[in-house]
Amino acid sequence: MKTFSFILTPAVLMLLMAAGWTSAYKPVILVHGILSGPRSFKMLTGFIKKAHPGTEVTAIDLFNYGNSTEPMWNQVEGFGKVIQKIMEKSPEGVHLLCFSQGGLICRGLLSTLPNHNVHSFIALSSPLAGQFGVPDVLLRYFPLSARELVYLLCYTKDLQESISMCNYWNDPHRRRRYLKYSNFLPLLNGEKPHSKMAAWRKNFLRIKKLVLIGGPDDNVITPWQSSFFGFYNHNEVVVEMKEQTFYKKNTFGLKTLDTRGDISVCSQPGVKHVKWHSNKKVFDKCIKKWLD
């Protein structure tokens, strides 16, 4: 009996791919952060395609740059419509990688889309538990120099309906105002009870893996542990995720994910906020394996 050896040369690989033989990597959807756009993901897209040839990578071209300051629920709805269409074409499921403010937008759509098929939700340096610091690039939107005074602007009906960061501004010294006026983050966290809590929790728990990425040298996310669902108490001492009330009460499914073993935390020092999606070390250590 004759046997044949088969050598997979680059030329043969290109022919196979051209004929439709590709890897079974799930599509990857990228959602940008505030005052940014899809072009910020150019290097990350390259990392993904080099590591996983044939992967379909889509950086959503929506609410770019100045438009990224529109209210969060508007963005959740807009991004949700586009992502829903991608998911409908991908019955095998998709991965969702969301940077900075984009992580909260993705939390919103994962909570409100009942039939999503997201496998890995990767939150890349995102203020998941809120923000209590004004980055320099946002000072023109917030003329008050002291962060302790931002609540005077953000905790009002007008700014809740006009500026995205106000929707997740979390002043640990103004808890009552936060719960009264904020119309986004406390609803996602289940800190402000509402009739859709059970449905949103069920929807969020459809994800197979929650990947949290951040680090102490970010210099924008404040506190940086917000990337891991940690946040300040009234003394500005950081309370870690498992000690947060929303974790203990399992209001949106975070404790369930943890109990399932489906939360991965990746901390990387030495990375500034604007460099997360272009850092090869971060990709190799924190992202790559969750896109298989």
Side-chain angles (χ1 to χ4, degrees), residues 201 204-205 210 212 228-229 241-242 244 246-247 250-259 263:
R201 181 178 180 274
F204 189 70
L205 286 172
L210 172 61
L212 308 176
F228 304 144
F229 285 102
M241 176 182 74
K242 291 186 178 182
Q244 293 288 339
F246 54 69
Y247 177 93
N250 206 23
T251 52
F252 63 94
L254 194 60
K255 186 175 182 179
T256 297
L257 285 171
D258 195 25
T259 301
I263 297 180

Side-chain angles (χ1 to χ4, degrees), residues 23-30 41 43-58 92-98 118-124 208-211 213 264 277 282-292:
S23 60
Y25 297 122
K26 293 177 176 61
V28 178
I29 302 171
L30 308 176
F41 289 124
M43 291 189 69
L44 178 59
T45 298
F47 295 156
I48 295 170
K49 291 191 172 185
K50 184 175 181 180
H52 296 154
T55 301
E56 179 184 342
V57 182
T58 303
E92 73 281 8
V94 302
H95 299 307
L96 191 58
L97 191 156
C98 312
V118 173
H119 279 240
S120 296
F121 166 36
I122 303 171
L124 181 60
K208 303 298 186 286
K209 182 67 67 172
L210 172 61
V211 182
I213 303 171
S264 172
H277 38 50
V282 170
F283 176 76
D284 289 340
K285 175 184 175 182
C286 304
I287 299 173
K288 179 180 175 181
K289 61 183 175 182
W290 305 116
L291 302 180
D292 289 339

Side-chain angles (χ1 to χ4, degrees), residues 176-233:
R176 289 184 180 180
R177 284 178 176 258
Y178 163 75
L179 293 174
K180 180 178 180 180
Y181 290 102
S182 185
N183 63 14
F184 181 77
L185 185 61
L187 297 178
L188 278 187
N189 287 346
E191 297 166 306
K192 184 187 293 187
H194 57 93
S195 61
K196 298 179 181 179
M197 281 181 64
W200 287 11
R201 181 178 180 274
K202 181 179 179 181
N203 296 339
F204 189 70
L205 286 172
R206 289 177 63 87
I207 64 173
K208 303 298 186 286
K209 182 67 67 172
L210 172 61
V211 182
L212 308 176
I213 303 171
D217 302 308
D218 181 273
N219 287 348
V220 170
I221 305 301
T222 310
W224 69 268
Q225 293 92 337
S226 184
S227 296
F228 304 144
F229 285 102
F231 206 73
Y232 295 128
N233 63 14

Side-chain angles (χ1 to χ4, degrees), residues 32-33 36-45 65 99 274 277-278:
H32 64 78
S36 187
R39 285 183 294 178
S40 64
F41 289 124
K42 182 177 180 179
M43 291 189 69
L44 178 59
T45 298
Y65 308 104
F99 173 63
V274 297
H277 38 50
S278 60

Side-chain angles (χ1 to χ4, degrees), residues 232-273:
Y232 295 128
N233 63 14
H234 65 282
N235 292 319
E236 295 191 29
V237 174
V238 173
V239 177
E240 303 297 336
M241 176 182 74
K242 291 186 178 182
E243 296 302 316
Q244 293 288 339
T245 300
F246 54 69
Y247 177 93
K248 292 180 177 180
K249 292 187 176 181
N250 206 23
T251 52
F252 63 94
L254 194 60
K255 186 175 182 179
T256 297
L257 285 171
D258 195 25
T259 301
R260 280 173 18 190
D262 289 331
I263 297 180
S264 172
V265 174
C266 188
S267 179
Q268 180 62 47
V271 183
K272 301 301 182 185
H273 189 68

